[in-house]
Amino acid sequence: MRPDVVDQALLDAGEIATLAAQAAHGARTAVRREVHDHHAGDWPSAWLGRGLDFEEARPYAPGDDVRDMDWRTTARLGHPFIKTYREERQPLLHIVVDRGPRMRFGTRRRLKVTQAARMAVLAGFAATESNIAVGATLWDRPDRTLPARHGRLGLLELVRAIVAPCAPVPAQAGEALHELTRLQTLRAELPRGSRLLLLSDFAWLTPLHEPALASLAEWLDLLAVCITDPAERALPDVGLACFADLGSAQTRWIDTGKAAVREAHAATFAACHARMATTLARCAVRHLDVGSEVDDLLPLLYGHG
């Protein structure tokens, strides 16, 4: 690969500006909008705890803070009652972009990681239009986490990191354990109820990840976006060709001119993809399939808000 291509950002300034304009338009016209010019404390949380908005009175339990005692209800019913409040929380979107070896592949228009970057940038600008704080984690070498920030200045720092050059890299041993640790880290570090957008091809997903993924989905509002390339879904007829597995670094010669070979490949991919979808559903994770060749991402973003 040429050095000028290797050192090239995934998206140029024009593409980023276009995505920003699309996000602004979508924020103005979308029917399903949940926030508009909100600030910290304006979003009610689904979780009960300490806050300013009274939710209900419930019977006292050992260990409850006596400062929250509801004396009027206690006197009226003759049993100790505690006031509970609805926690205030600031809306947060956290975006995870998988920049692993298998994501650095593409045969139509763009790499899978480039499509992930486009989706991340669009989602980031859309969230900023609604005054939602945006943070990100890049699964890379090494991983990088950008804390949640409000406004365009903070978002632009995040965008620069997301679209940074993504040259081919060799596979590493123990990737399944690496992904497991990453999922557990997200569960430990993100506030409960946050929105999480996970962009990957999920080629790493195995039964080993199910407990951590299910726990993450229970803790957060999680949307998994599975990005695939057309050649993965349907092998093109290019004759005898050498293919390299970007995950394992193994190579293999395949005669793509044979219809039976292409049909077997398509069936294998469909079966693997179905297992991935079943695993995500079993973990209560909403998921969306996006081809790397798709240009218009706005309907996908607002269709799964």
Side-chain angles (χ1 to χ4, degrees):
M1 188 176 289
R2 303 197 321 267
D4 60 325
V5 175
V6 170
D7 296 334
Q8 203 171 68
L10 296 177
L11 302 176
D12 60 29
E15 292 172 303
I16 294 172
T18 297
L19 291 168
Q22 290 176 350
H25 175 73
R28 289 193 300 269
T29 60
V31 175
R32 294 177 58 198
R33 294 186 62 190
E34 296 186 11
V35 294
H36 178 69
D37 293 334
H38 281 65
H39 300 279
D42 286 348
W43 276 36
S45 170
W47 320 112
L48 301 182
R50 300 197 63 85
L52 297 180
D53 296 329
F54 173 75
E55 180 67 17
E56 62 180 359
R58 62 165 176 79
Y60 172 85
D64 286 337
D65 193 334
V66 294
R67 292 176 297 179
D68 294 327
M69 189 72 72
D70 186 343
W71 297 109
R72 289 186 178 180
T73 304
T74 297
R76 186 173 67 253
L77 299 179
H79 303 287
F81 276 77
I82 290 288
K83 292 180 180 179
T84 60
Y85 301 87
R86 185 164 296 274
E87 288 185 354
E88 298 170 349
R89 68 175 177 90
Q90 187 175 1
L92 168 66
L93 170 66
H94 196 84
I95 304 171
V96 175
V97 179
D98 184 353
R99 289 166 57 96
R102 290 187 177 91
M103 289 292 288
R104 305 183 186 208
F105 169 77
T107 61
R108 306 282 202 286
R109 298 184 63 80
R110 59 183 69 90
L111 303 175
K112 290 191 290 184
V113 71
T114 303
Q115 187 72 307
R118 293 181 73 236
M119 193 76 170
V121 170
L122 184 64
F125 276 111
T128 299
E129 288 290 331
S130 296
N131 201 31
I132 296 174
V134 183
T137 296
L138 308 181
W139 286 356
D140 209 336
R141 298 179 180 173
D143 289 354
R144 182 180 178 189
T145 296
L146 293 91
R149 294 179 60 183
H150 264 104
R152 288 225 167 187
L153 287 179
L155 180 64
L156 289 177
E157 179 186 351
L158 181 150
V159 168
R160 281 193 293 269
I162 288 175
V163 306
C166 212
V169 293
Q172 285 183 332
E175 281 189 325
L177 291 177
H178 198 186
E179 306 297 353
L180 177 60
T181 301
R182 286 165 164 169
L183 294 174
Q184 292 169 337
T185 299
L186 290 170
R187 170 63 173 78
E189 294 183 352
L190 293 179
R192 187 172 189 176
S194 302
R195 290 184 175 183
L196 176 61
L197 180 63
L198 179 53
L199 301 157
S200 176
D201 61 2
F202 294 91
W204 46 266
L205 186 60
T206 69
L208 174 70
H209 303 96
E210 287 193 36
L213 196 57
S215 177
L216 193 63
E218 188 276 333
W219 187 254
L220 306 170
D221 180 7
L222 171 58
L223 174 62
V225 178
C226 181
I227 300 174
T228 58
D229 184 84
E232 294 174 322
R233 303 191 297 270
L235 198 62
D237 182 356
V238 294
L240 186 63
C242 183
F243 290 81
D245 186 336
L246 298 176
S248 65
Q250 295 180 340
T251 59
R252 180 181 177 185
W253 286 91
I254 300 176
D255 188 356
T256 64
K258 295 181 178 180
V261 170
R262 297 196 303 274
E263 291 170 2
H265 170 85
T268 299
F269 175 83
C272 291
H273 196 74
R275 284 196 297 272
M276 180 273 297
T278 299
T279 298
L280 292 176
R282 192 159 51 236
C283 296
V285 176
R286 295 179 299 134
H287 91 276
L288 171 67
D289 292 323
V290 179
S292 60
E293 76 281 12
V294 175
D295 290 323
D296 189 5
L297 298 176
L298 196 62
L300 300 175
L301 176 66
Y302 279 95
H304 290 75

